[in-house]
Amino acid sequence: MLIVKPHHWLTEEGDIPDGPPPLRRNVLRVARLIEYGGPLDPGHACETLVECGKRRGGKPCPGFLWVGKQPDDTLLAYCLVCNTDQVWIHEWQDTLWASGPCEPVMVTLGDRQGGDA
Ligand SMILES: [Zn+2]
């Protein structure tokens, strides 16, 4: 089980680091879990599209993680397929992903840039 305080991994600006790749993968995983879990009310959980990282009998677990917000605001990610708790996320509230997916922005067709790109 991993216990994460995201700011230990993020850049000074609060962004996902460019590398090394294993760190970047882990940070992205946690950022996605925050994006799903941040908007939840305490005591609620939802299924994510983040794949379970466990292996069973040499094969990857086919489950997707659930993320739940605890009464103390901590996020817990767990897999119902292999029944393991996997990540506790503390101090996520002021990360870029805490309020959930980004707000839609109006773009011109053919213009693939986002809002402030
Ligand atoms: Zn699993």
Side-chain angles (χ1 to χ4, degrees):
M1 172 118 68
L2 191 59
I3 297 174
V4 175
K5 294 183 179 179
H7 288 287
H8 293 173
W9 287 355
L10 298 173
T11 67
E12 281 182 26
E13 294 76 34
D15 289 320
I16 294 166
D18 289 339
L23 173 65
R24 186 174 164 83
R25 266 198 304 278
N26 273 330
V27 176
L28 273 168
R29 191 173 170 84
V30 168
R32 291 179 184 125
L33 293 170
I34 292 170
E35 193 175 79
Y36 280 104
L40 296 174
D41 289 327
H44 287 72
C46 69
E47 188 175 24
T48 75
L49 291 171
V50 177
E51 293 171 297
C52 175
K54 298 294 176 193
R55 297 182 71 83
R56 294 191 304 178
K59 293 183 176 176
C61 171
F64 291 95
L65 297 184
W66 281 69
V67 63
K69 186 182 282 183
Q70 307 301 302
D72 70 356
D73 227 29
T74 303
L75 300 176
L76 171 64
Y78 53 95
C79 178
L80 293 176
V81 175
C82 62
N83 200 27
T84 51
D85 291 349
Q86 300 195 6
V87 189
W88 284 101
I89 307 170
H90 298 269
E91 299 174 17
W92 53 270
Q93 291 88 343
D94 60 348
T95 62
L96 295 171
W97 312 282
S99 58
C102 72
E103 293 292 323
V105 294
M106 181 78 81
V107 295
T108 305
L109 273 182
D111 172 8
R112 302 287 173 87
Q113 293 184 346
D116 55 358

